[in-house]
Amino acid sequence: MSEALSPTKPPKVGFVSLGCPKALTDSELILTQLSAEGYETTKTFEGADLVIVNTCGFIDDAVKESLDTIGEALAGNGKVIVTGCLGARADGGGGNLVKGVHPSVLAVTGPHATQEVMEAVHTHLPKPHDPFLDLVPGAFGEAGIKLTPRHYAYLKISEGCNHRCTFCIIPSMRGDLVSRPVGDVLKEARALFEGGVKELLVISQDTSAYGVDVKYRTGFWDGKPVKTRMLELVQTLGEIAEPYGAWVRLHYVYPYPSVDEVVPLMATGRVLPYLDVPFQHSHPDVLKRMKRPASGERNLERIQRWREACPEIVIRSTFIAGFPGETEEEFQHLLGFVREAQIDRAGCFAYSDVSGAVANELPGMLPLEVREERRARFMAVAEEVSTAKLRSRVGATMQVLVDHAPALGRKGGRGRSYADAPEIDGVVHLLPPEKVSKQLKVGEFTRARIVGTQGHDLVAMPV
């Protein structure tokens, strides 16, 4: 038997995943295929036969981090395959940006390119065995390998985006909207719940547009017809999650009127009362310059209706400060919106003049120091709103999903409530339980009484 096929020495692939949850799901697909074909994977460069770097190419800081990581992989290993959004970007001369900076990389692909990545791996590190004859160790059945902790996972329902927002270059890298077949999405969801996932995070570039590209055609799952549309998808995900006592959380939900139909499902507990809505701004003129979809001037009314239908709903959003041409009056309008809308969780970017973005050609580009100053002022207001809402939870008892609990929680632990998505929101700091018999286990739920706040986080006593 050749060394490449030897079960005692499988070829080893180093893997680095950068960027957003959508890039993470691309990484999971590649890792699943690598494992299915018998490759060993590692998070380090040293000792690997080659390295794959999944990059982000949206904002300048992400580009720098990706290019730096590729350089480190080349220095530490020498054999590097690059994939992801940065791989699809061109440099000033029209050539490939990555190849221009790091000409010695073995291959470069764009995002969502599992097959192309595997072809490059096969070229430089032949596969050890037939994937049809072997099982994938550590995988969630049909859902494959996940890079997240085993108790939560991202579920990508579509790829690409039909919008052409002037600040964004993602459609040029990921293409137009392509919705996954609804049966495939639901099959993956069930496999994840069966594998022990307690929180499913639904992601895409535009979750509200799911099915638009296929005219909401009817698919099938479990022998039943299901329309390829957000409402029916969310209803069915809630039904699948219920017997497992699991959470379903929605991300990247554009504020279309159709979202109003989903909110009642949150009120009944079918899915978490949590919406991640990328508003980006509030002033109609700025939204027009951004070419944002949906009617932004009616967002306050929409949020009010959501809260009337589901008082417990938590709204997280992201915004851009210092967009080209933004006046002080328009910025004040944004601050007023955050206060009046009572946005529970808000993030903000100072406008970044990403290469290739149409907005860079708009008149009125603001100095970087003005953009950063406005971002800081925005975050001060957002924190004021958020901390006040957190303080209102003191005294309440909430369900908490435990993320960290050394020694079974005897010294306390850390978790999240329905209001906290992993990585981007706050956490719940769990105190050592008063009852000696009380244990905390990672990936399980516990009830906890909120006793205080700590910055963007809550402090709670397990009960």
Side-chain angles (χ1 to χ4, degrees):
M1 182 179 287
S2 69
E3 181 173 307
L5 294 174
S6 169
T8 61
K9 196 173 182 181
K12 185 183 293 187
V13 177
F15 203 100
V16 180
S17 183
L18 305 173
C20 66
K22 292 176 286 296
L24 188 74
T25 60
D26 287 352
S27 295
E28 290 169 344
L29 288 171
I30 296 168
L31 284 166
T32 297
Q33 191 61 31
L34 286 168
S35 290
E37 296 187 8
Y39 293 96
E40 183 180 339
T41 58
T42 175
K43 295 179 181 179
T44 61
F45 306 146
E46 296 77 16
D49 296 297
L50 63 76
V51 175
I52 299 172
V53 180
N54 190 2
T55 59
C56 179
F58 184 30
I59 60 175
D60 291 345
D61 287 348
V63 171
K64 183 179 184 304
E65 180 188 21
S66 293
L67 290 173
D68 288 350
T69 302
I70 295 166
E72 291 168 10
L74 285 168
N77 183 278
K79 294 183 178 180
V80 179
I81 294 169
V82 176
T83 187
C85 286
L86 187 60
R89 286 191 61 173
D91 59 20
N96 184 272
L97 177 60
V98 173
K99 280 282 192 180
V101 178
H102 296 297
S104 61
V105 295
L106 299 176
V108 180
T109 81
H112 198 55
T114 302
Q115 189 57 44
E116 291 91 333
V117 171
M118 292 309 301
E119 287 172 1
V121 172
H122 296 157
T123 299
H124 300 283
L125 190 63
K127 59 181 179 180
H129 60 66
D130 186 341
F132 295 103
L133 301 179
D134 297 275
L135 298 173
V136 181
F140 287 85
E142 294 183 72
I145 286 174
K146 296 295 172 184
L147 291 171
T148 47
R150 289 194 68 84
H151 61 284
Y152 70 82
Y154 294 103
L155 178 69
K156 184 158 64 171
I157 63 172
S158 64
E159 186 62 67
C161 182
N162 287 343
H163 307 304
R164 295 298 181 264
C165 301
T166 57
F167 57 82
C168 183
I169 60 172
I170 287 176
S172 69
M173 297 184 285
R174 289 187 172 263
D176 289 336
L177 175 73
V178 178
S179 300
R180 290 180 62 194
V182 67
D184 290 354
V185 173
L186 296 171
K187 191 184 298 181
E188 181 178 346
R190 181 161 64 182
L192 289 167
F193 291 134
E194 288 176 345
V197 164
K198 291 297 183 184
E199 178 181 13
L200 198 64
L201 301 105
V202 177
I203 61 169
S204 65
Q205 297 296 146
D206 180 358
T207 296
S208 305
Y210 178 65
V212 166
D213 56 312
V214 295
K215 298 182 172 57
Y216 306 119
R217 71 180 171 213
T218 298
F220 288 87
W221 178 78
D222 221 16
K224 303 171 189 172
V226 182
K227 190 173 283 190
T228 308
R229 193 171 66 156
M230 182 175 71
L231 175 61
E232 285 78 4
L233 174 68
V234 173
Q235 283 176 326
T236 312
L237 286 173
E239 291 168 6
I240 299 171
E242 188 173 16
Y244 299 95
W247 286 349
V248 175
R249 188 184 299 277
L250 304 181
H251 285 273
Y252 308 104
V253 179
Y254 278 71
Y256 305 141
S258 59
V259 178
D260 296 354
E261 300 176 304
V262 174
V263 174
L265 299 177
M266 299 178 175
T268 59
R270 184 57 58 87
V271 296
L272 289 183
Y274 176 104
L275 276 179
D276 171 20
V277 186
F279 289 117
Q280 304 299 2
H281 212 282
S282 63
H283 196 283
D285 292 344
V286 178
L287 290 168
K288 193 175 296 183
R289 294 197 295 275
M290 289 179 168
K291 290 194 175 177
R292 292 294 286 165
S295 51
E297 64 275 8
R298 303 192 62 182
N299 282 336
L300 274 174
E301 297 174 30
R302 190 159 288 132
I303 291 169
Q304 184 178 356
R305 285 201 304 275
W306 293 345
R307 290 207 164 110
E308 287 170 356
C310 181
E312 291 299 307
I313 196 167
V314 163
I315 298 171
R316 109 158 317 272
S317 189
T318 49
F319 298 87
I320 296 174
F323 190 77
E326 182 189 63
T327 64
E328 178 63 27
E329 181 184 358
E330 289 168 342
F331 179 66
Q332 288 296 330
H333 187 280
L334 174 60
L335 297 184
F337 172 81
V338 173
R339 290 190 181 101
E340 191 172 351
Q342 289 289 288
I343 302 296
D344 298 80
R345 303 285 196 185
C348 183
F349 298 95
Y351 177 74
S352 174
D353 49 347
V354 177
S355 176
V358 175
N360 296 339
E361 309 304 318
L362 294 174
M365 179 70 73
L366 300 175
L368 180 59
E369 56 268 26
V370 173
R371 290 179 256 161
E372 292 291 354
E373 184 264 347
R374 286 186 181 174
R375 177 191 176 279
R377 286 161 62 194
F378 176 96
M379 289 309 299
V381 170
E383 186 168 344
E384 170 191 312
V385 172
S386 180
T387 52
K389 300 204 83 169
L390 287 175
R391 284 196 295 270
S392 72
R393 294 193 182 277
V394 174
T397 298
M398 302 184 75
Q399 186 182 43
V400 175
L401 180 58
V402 179
D403 288 328
H404 179 68
L408 294 176
R410 282 191 287 273
K411 295 182 179 180
R414 186 177 66 250
R416 291 173 293 105
S417 73
Y418 80 90
D420 311 306
E423 307 294 336
I424 56 174
D425 293 327
V427 300
V428 179
H429 296 286
L430 296 166
L431 299 171
E434 292 176 332
K435 296 179 181 176
V436 177
S437 59
K438 177 70 177 180
Q439 293 184 342
L440 303 176
K441 295 181 180 178
V442 172
E444 294 188 4
F445 292 105
T446 187
R447 303 288 293 172
R449 187 178 69 257
I450 310 302
V451 297
T453 64
Q454 186 177 311
H456 293 283
D457 304 331
L458 293 171
V459 180
M461 174 63 71
V463 294

